[in-house]
Amino acid sequence: MATLCAQCDTIVLNYKLGPLFYIRNGTYVCVREDITIREYTGFSELNSSAALAGCAFCKLIWRLAHIKGGLEKEQLSRIICSFSQIGSGLRVIFEAGAKRQYKYLEDIYTEEDDPVARWVGNTPIASHSDSDSVYELAADWLNECRSSHADCPRVTAVSLPTRVLDISGVTTDGTSKDPFLYISDANERSEYAALSYCWGEEGNEEFVLTQSTLERNMGIIPLSGLPQTLKDAIAITKWLGFRYLWIDALCILQDNIEDWEKEAAVMGKVYSNAAVTIAASAASRSTQGFLLPRESFNATPPQLVFRGPDGTRGLVSIRDPLPSTKQPLDLRGWALQEQLLSPRLLSYETRWLKWTCMTGIYKEGKGGSSRVYNFGTASPRNALLNRLPIASSLPSLSSPSRRPHHHELDHFFHWADIVEDFTSRELRFLTDKLPALSGIASQAQQALGGDEYLAGLWKSHMPRALAWMTKGYNKLGKRSRALPGHWGCPSWSWASIITGEIRHFLNVGFDAENKSPMFLKFLNHSITLSGLNPFGSVSAGMIQVRGRLKRAGCMVISNDASAYHRYGTKNDLYIDDKYAGYLPPVKPPREHRLGFCAFDDYDEMLQSLADGSIWCLQMERTGGLLLVPAVLSGKGHAQDQYRRVGYYKINPQEPEKNSWFDDCEEQDICIV
């Protein structure tokens, strides 16, 4: 048992019934205050108790204070630990003068045989994901979903993918046979599992399926030669009782473009039909494996006395805090559709095992049914949308302040959420930009009543869908850069950006009265696909719009490229194109400044300024697209054809600038 200092040894957590808050007139009203259980006069007292007294609880608070994002430790004047009820965990307040920061220790648990276990509910987490208890929990969740989840699709025989791994001969008793590649018949039906994982940066691994290894793999795939992640997936699939497993690297010919395009086009269906998708969330590469020791597992956590409602006393433990970091798999572009479209997702994360289905989210160690989120009466379609890994970008949880209240545009808002999540992730190959989202696009088309897909945008969302901009860096630290000019993806599509998170202007076209004064009209389009997948890569794309176009000047606030890529510098936009170039020591007259403009790419910005040809295409009263004349290969500028290079906004605090376009006539132009 872990050591406690004299003060912490006297802490007693009391069980309480009832909610912490109730809602009155849309406002949360506190029912009761937390009770302070421990207080420190500053970081020095905490440090001394943790280091000198060796107190496990003080060490836990010390580690919590060091998690990134906290106040400066030396400036802390008071630290307050409080408790209200098990479901809320411990609240720790760090004070530095007038500044306050709140952090939480939410994972309080006890042993199953402890006298207070029935009130605590949460149980210990295994120290290693390759434990019998973890295997058993995965099987229990699957069986519960099979038997009692009315909102989840039945686990039943479905049409098998073109190729699957047959693992029927794999055993753990020393008589194991190697798996082999099975080619299914056209109408063959069976249950199967699928794997979602990170390939890694190793390059084209030797184990992948190619035309030269196809015949060999149909006979045998040596288990000993597979990367550890694939071995782990086979072991779990076998434990869950499935004969077949689908893994992209071994079930799609990686050196045959026709086969790859054919299989990539139905990849969304592969995951949506799988009985369960195994997500190797904790592994950043295929050779790493995901049956790993648990991150920040503490064999001797601090234990505090807990008193139940009838006076019974027992001991509860507190799990170590972890920084709020994403799983490696959640940084992979392809994984978004694999996770979003799978009706049952078994995620092996760095800290615990997690199950997500259309009924709810379950986590290891949460006790009882382990459910931590209930989708309730949400429709199956909404339940799927609600399962995006990043909570801030969930369609149902996004900040309402970003969205006007127009239910007929819900699909537009949902799609914007998906694109923003997708573009914050990494893709190994640039050509995967649209194919990696094609499964979700195929499903979305059904929800949109057969709408037409335009290189990552939807026809019914036009022209509002054109209102996007890039951030200087995406969440992986990679800068935004528009694809080279010879790349077929049109400049008006967010898919023309190699790396960099996309941000939509969701309020574009709405005024204070929620009317829609959109000045740009969408007229026509032309899309040329690169292959067979109607939601895949394109070789060319053009849209025709009608609107007001006016030439302007742009001054670069900073010529520091690193600052641009890191912060997405917004440059000054002026009414006269004579104000073009780098901002001089003395700014031009304020009355000539319109607002700001943000370019999609730094190098493209420099070229545009050198050419001196920046055009503003009005979308709404205060914003629109930055364009430059399109250059046709070997033919110079094309008349009435433009290319997007960014987005501009007019300062809303200066309404007199809104009349800048009033002397312009509408014209029809093409954007390529």
Side-chain angles (χ1 to χ4, degrees):
M1 183 173 175
T3 301
L4 296 177
C5 65
Q7 290 191 54
C8 291
D9 198 35
T10 63
I11 295 175
V12 177
L13 307 180
N14 290 296
Y15 179 83
K16 293 181 180 180
L17 291 170
L20 287 173
F21 303 91
Y22 68 90
I23 301 176
R24 181 174 62 196
N25 298 327
T27 303
Y28 285 97
V29 179
C30 185
V31 176
R32 60 179 182 273
E33 295 292 337
D34 288 2
I35 297 175
T36 299
I37 60 171
R38 183 74 161 93
E39 185 172 337
Y40 306 89
T41 56
F43 186 73
S44 58
E45 181 186 346
L46 171 64
N47 197 45
S48 297
S49 184
L52 301 179
C55 175
F57 182 78
C58 294
K59 287 181 179 179
L60 184 67
I61 304 302
W62 186 91
R63 288 192 290 272
L64 184 65
H66 280 77
I67 287 180
K68 185 179 179 181
L71 298 172
E72 291 295 330
K73 315 303 177 296
E74 296 74 15
Q75 298 178 4
L76 292 175
S77 55
R78 193 165 65 142
I79 304 169
I80 307 168
C81 305
S82 61
F83 174 77
S84 180
Q85 63 180 15
I86 284 293
S88 304
L90 298 182
R91 183 175 70 171
V92 183
I93 305 174
F94 296 92
E95 293 185 353
K99 295 181 180 179
R100 273 192 164 198
Q101 184 176 48
Y102 296 84
K103 294 186 179 181
Y104 296 87
L105 294 166
E106 299 175 341
D107 292 324
I108 300 176
Y109 66 95
T110 190
E111 299 294 334
E112 294 180 1
D113 58 354
D114 193 277
V116 297
R118 56 179 166 152
W119 295 298
V120 176
N122 297 339
T123 55
I125 290 176
S127 62
H128 200 292
S129 55
D130 191 21
S131 302
D132 289 345
S133 62
V134 179
Y135 281 99
E136 292 167 1
L137 181 60
D140 289 345
W141 281 337
L142 175 61
N143 292 333
E144 180 186 343
C145 189
R146 281 179 186 265
S147 61
S148 61
H149 287 181
D151 290 331
C152 294
R154 293 180 58 193
V155 179
T156 184
V158 295
S159 296
L160 281 174
T162 306
R163 308 177 189 95
V164 287
L165 267 65
D166 187 327
I167 63 168
S168 56
V170 178
T171 64
T172 57
D173 60 3
T175 62
S176 179
K177 295 181 180 179
D178 287 315
F180 64 91
L181 187 66
Y182 179 72
I183 312 297
S184 64
D185 295 330
N187 298 317
E188 189 170 359
R189 302 175 68 84
S190 183
E191 299 174 357
Y192 67 92
L195 176 64
S196 176
Y197 69 109
C198 294
W199 280 44
E201 300 295 333
E202 293 89 346
N204 286 325
E205 295 88 342
E206 296 180 359
F207 71 90
V208 301
L209 182 67
T210 62
Q211 295 176 86
S212 63
T213 61
L214 176 60
E215 185 174 352
R216 183 202 68 186
N217 286 6
M218 291 171 62
I220 184 175
I221 301 176
L223 193 61
S224 60
L226 291 178
Q228 190 59 47
T229 291
L230 276 60
K231 293 179 183 177
D232 291 347
I234 289 172
I236 295 164
T237 303
K238 187 69 178 180
W239 174 267
L240 295 177
F242 297 106
R243 176 174 181 173
Y244 299 117
L245 172 63
W246 189 89
I247 302 175
D248 58 355
L250 290 172
C251 297
I252 300 176
L253 289 169
Q254 301 298 318
D255 62 347
N256 185 310
I257 187 62
E258 290 184 7
D259 187 75
W260 190 91
E261 285 190 357
K262 173 189 170 186
E263 296 300 320
V266 297
M267 199 177 295
K269 189 175 181 180
V270 169
Y271 284 97
S272 61
N273 283 344
V276 63
T277 295
I278 300 165
S281 303
S284 59
R285 57 189 182 278
S286 61
T287 56
Q288 182 180 355
F290 58 91
L291 297 180
L292 304 167
R294 291 299 174 50
E295 186 175 283
S296 294
F297 179 82
N298 188 351
T300 56
Q303 292 184 310
L304 303 177
V305 174
F306 181 86
R307 182 165 55 203
D310 62 354
T312 301
R313 291 192 173 213
L315 293 175
V316 294
S317 301
I318 308 172
R319 293 192 181 102
D320 265 40
L322 280 179
S324 180
T325 56
K326 298 179 69 61
Q327 300 295 305
L329 186 59
D330 292 337
L331 298 176
R332 178 176 175 257
W334 280 97
L336 179 61
Q337 71 171 9
E338 296 165 4
Q339 296 165 347
L340 184 59
L341 298 179
S342 298
R344 280 166 288 270
L345 189 68
L346 184 63
S347 305
Y348 284 79
E349 300 189 351
T350 52
R351 194 167 198 187
W352 46 42
L353 184 68
K354 185 173 75 175
W355 173 274
T356 307
C357 63
M358 296 175 70
T359 298
I361 299 175
Y362 302 73
K363 286 183 180 179
E364 177 188 357
K366 290 301 178 181
S369 67
S370 305
R371 184 184 297 181
V372 295
Y373 184 81
N374 185 2
F375 292 128
T377 58
S379 69
R381 176 61 188 162
N382 285 338
L384 280 173
L385 286 173
N386 286 344
R387 286 167 43 213
L388 281 166
I390 303 176
S392 63
S393 66
L394 300 184
S396 64
L397 301 179
S398 293
S399 171
S401 63
R402 287 192 63 210
R403 297 180 172 195
H405 300 291
H406 277 257
H407 297 296
E408 67 272 16
L409 290 175
D410 279 351
H411 284 301
F412 167 62
F413 300 142
H414 290 175
W415 186 253
D417 287 330
I418 290 171
V419 168
E420 291 180 8
D421 186 339
F422 177 71
T423 55
S424 72
R425 298 165 177 247
E426 182 82 330
L427 288 170
R428 188 173 176 184
F429 301 107
L430 302 182
T431 51
D432 289 354
K433 195 75 173 186
L434 289 173
L437 201 63
S438 62
I440 298 178
S442 177
Q443 294 285 331
Q445 188 180 58
Q446 299 176 35
L448 291 168
D451 197 4
E452 194 167 354
Y453 192 59
L454 310 179
L457 290 70
W458 295 99
K459 183 178 179 180
S460 66
H461 297 165
M462 291 296 212
R464 181 170 283 106
L466 300 173
W468 55 265
M469 66 178 291
T470 62
K471 290 187 175 181
Y473 263 113
N474 68 0
K475 293 176 182 176
L476 296 164
K478 303 294 182 66
R479 70 179 190 176
S480 302
R481 176 177 288 278
L483 291 169
H486 65 272
W487 185 269
C489 201
S491 65
W492 46 264
S493 170
W494 56 263
S496 65
I497 304 300
I498 289 183
T499 57
E501 188 175 349
I502 298 298
R503 182 76 168 179
H504 290 85
F505 294 98
L506 296 182
N507 291 298
V508 67
F510 293 95
D511 60 16
E513 298 178 356
N514 264 348
K515 296 178 181 178
S516 184
M518 181 69 71
F519 290 93
L520 188 65
K521 299 179 181 67
F522 179 76
L523 302 178
N524 205 349
H525 70 278
S526 174
I527 299 292
T528 304
L529 297 173
S530 296
L532 303 175
N533 186 354
F535 305 100
S537 297
V538 301
S539 58
M542 176 274 295
I543 58 173
Q544 185 181 33
V545 295
R546 177 175 297 157
R548 298 191 288 189
L549 189 68
K550 198 166 186 179
R551 195 165 181 172
C554 173
M555 281 201 167
V556 181
I557 295 175
S558 171
N559 61 357
D560 182 354
S562 63
Y564 174 87
H565 296 311
R566 185 171 301 278
Y567 304 113
T569 302
K570 297 173 182 177
N571 302 296
D572 284 345
L573 184 69
Y574 289 91
I575 61 176
D576 194 324
D577 60 4
K578 71 180 181 181
Y579 301 120
Y582 293 111
L583 196 66
V586 179
K587 287 188 176 183
R590 180 177 177 81
E591 61 269 20
H592 287 188
R593 184 181 183 275
L594 279 171
F596 77 85
C597 55
F599 284 81
D600 298 335
D601 174 63
Y602 180 78
D603 291 338
E604 196 170 47
M605 176 188 71
L606 297 182
Q607 183 61 49
S608 299
L609 294 180
D611 293 344
S613 302
I614 301 294
W615 294 83
C616 295
L617 177 65
Q618 187 181 35
M619 287 188 65
E620 58 168 342
R621 180 67 68 181
T622 60
L625 304 182
L626 283 182
L627 305 177
V628 296
V631 178
L632 300 182
S633 179
K635 299 181 181 179
H637 292 169
Q639 186 176 5
D640 297 329
Q641 287 202 13
Y642 294 84
R643 184 168 52 87
R644 175 198 158 117
V645 292
Y647 199 87
Y648 77 88
K649 292 289 286 185
I650 293 177
N651 189 351
Q653 305 302 321
E654 299 179 275
E656 68 276 6
K657 303 291 177 63
N658 293 339
S659 61
W660 185 55
F661 280 98
D662 288 354
D663 61 348
C664 292
E665 296 291 334
E666 287 187 335
Q667 57 180 300
D668 294 353
I669 65 169
C670 293
I671 308 176
V672 295

